[in-house]
Amino acid sequence: MKTAVVTFPGSNCDRDMWVALRDVSGKEPVKVWHGDADLPDGLDFIALPGGFSYGDYLRSGAMAANSPIMRSVVAAAERGVPVLGVCNGFQVLTEARLLPGALMRNAAQTFICRTVPLVVENATSLFTSAYTKGDTIHIPVAHHDGNYFADDDTLDRLEIEGRVAFRYAENCNGSRRDIAGVLNESGNVLGMMPHPERAIEADHGGSDGRRLFESVIGSLVGA
Amino acid sequence: MKVRIHVSLKPGVLDPQGRAVHHALEGLGYKGVEDVRIGRLVEMDVADDTTDAALDEMCQKLLANMVIENYRIEKVA
């Protein structure tokens, strides 16, 4: 099994993501730099971490979505390789059009940094199979632009297709329909604003995020 | 050729920044401000033979996010 964490200039959760993946998978993930043209061969999982890539210039995630490595990430996602984008990584995935919608400035205009309750809406996906539908889990958020927007038709389609992975139990940022995380059509790309990689050890603010990594790593065992 | 790209939020997309600025204007005592929407202005200097199609493509690929924004191209000179 081979996993990778992509670092953009301004990423700041790449190490936490790396540690989470290492702890759960037992293998050290490959570190990939945004300027690399190609991903290492044979990757089974790619994570785009949180942070402030390119200083959030233009729009959060817009510049990173157009960086050299993203062409390879898009191609890998289209081949079915699982891709997880957390926080800024979610913003990058929407800007790269791997996921529908956009992340706008929080409704209250403020940066939010606290642990929030989430409801697991889909417990059959690659990323969420270790949870139970309806579970309430506690995961930290830390963002300024987490206000999920998509038009009504897109939202309806996401709901019908079971592509809302997580919802905020209490809407903290104005996201439409309380959406905290969404899946792509094939179910191999997940974007979410909350940080599961910050919740993998009971001694460090809880371990509710660990099952997300166990789900996806579990699906790769043998790979 | 100088080109100005005006990027604005689509109608119906809530604009928390605009709302906050609207509130601040009212706080300063300005009456009759009905609505405030915040956009972005991108000024570019491009080769004279740059086509409209190329400008559209720049807007749609990078300068605007078509999920939430519209853009208008203004050729200045």
Side-chain angles (χ1 to χ4, degrees):
Chain A
M1 182 199 319
K2 200 163 162 187
T3 66
V5 178
V6 179
T7 299
F8 302 97
S11 295
N12 63 10
C13 302
D14 42 338
R15 189 176 181 282
D16 287 8
M17 184 68 83
W18 189 88
V19 169
L21 282 172
R22 182 199 61 190
D23 284 6
V24 174
S25 73
K27 287 185 185 158
E28 293 196 350
V30 182
K31 294 176 181 172
V32 178
W33 178 239
H34 78 111
D36 295 349
D38 297 306
L39 289 164
D41 287 335
L43 282 183
D44 301 300
F45 177 78
I46 301 163
L48 306 185
F52 299 87
S53 56
Y54 296 87
D56 282 348
Y57 289 175
L58 196 62
R59 297 176 305 274
S60 301
M63 308 296 284
N66 290 284
S67 66
I69 198 64
M70 282 307 293
R71 277 192 289 277
S72 301
V73 172
V74 170
E78 285 170 353
R79 283 199 309 274
V81 175
V83 178
L84 169 68
V86 168
C87 199
N88 190 221
F90 185 13
Q91 295 159 346
V92 174
L93 290 174
T94 59
E95 284 284 347
R97 298 178 178 83
L98 282 173
L99 290 172
L103 281 313
M104 302 185 57
R105 182 53 45 100
N106 293 341
Q109 294 284 319
T110 52
F111 190 94
I112 306 168
C113 185
R114 61 170 188 262
T115 296
V116 300
L118 300 180
V119 178
V120 178
E121 289 289 330
N122 173 336
T124 59
S125 81
L126 201 57
F127 303 91
T128 55
S129 57
Y131 296 106
T132 304
K133 184 174 159 66
D135 272 356
T136 299
I137 60 174
H138 293 83
I139 306 282
V141 294
H143 61 247
H144 210 162
D145 296 319
N147 181 350
Y148 186 73
F149 178 88
D151 61 37
D152 289 333
D153 290 347
T154 304
L155 292 170
D156 289 344
R157 205 174 70 236
L158 289 175
E159 307 253 17
I160 289 165
E161 295 174 357
R163 289 164 56 192
V164 177
F166 301 103
R167 255 187 254 270
Y168 299 106
E170 299 148 21
N171 196 332
C172 57
N173 54 23
S175 289
R176 296 199 75 192
R177 302 195 193 175
D178 307 329
I179 289 173
V182 294
L183 293 153
N184 71 339
E185 207 167 351
S186 333
N188 67 308
V189 178
L190 170 68
M192 58 191 295
M193 289 311 298
H195 288 269
E197 80 282 7
R198 294 191 189 180
I200 59 155
E201 293 177 62
D203 290 345
H204 290 104
S207 59
D208 282 355
R210 196 176 179 92
R211 276 178 284 167
L212 187 145
F213 296 99
E214 289 170 350
S215 300
V216 69
I217 297 297
S219 77
L220 300 173
V221 167
Chain B
M1 174 171 59
K2 284 203 189 301
V3 176
R4 289 194 188 124
I5 311 291
H6 301 263
V7 181
S8 54
L9 282 175
K10 286 185 175 175
V13 176
L14 285 178
D15 179 9
Q17 289 188 74
R19 204 163 47 190
V21 169
H22 189 180
H23 187 69
L25 286 170
E26 287 174 339
L28 289 170
Y30 294 104
K31 309 283 184 215
V33 179
E34 301 292 342
D35 193 20
V36 178
R37 310 274 287 169
I38 309 251
R40 180 187 306 116
L41 174 65
V42 182
E43 290 184 317
M44 300 197 294
D45 213 336
V46 299
D48 286 345
D49 59 358
T50 306
T51 63
D52 289 356
L55 290 172
D56 272 323
E57 199 178 301
M58 290 179 209
C59 291
Q60 291 172 19
K61 275 194 177 167
L62 182 62
L63 301 178
N65 179 336
M66 300 308 291
V67 175
I68 48 172
E69 293 168 332
N70 288 326
Y71 65 87
R72 181 168 61 81
I73 297 168
E74 179 195 1
K75 290 178 183 168
V76 182

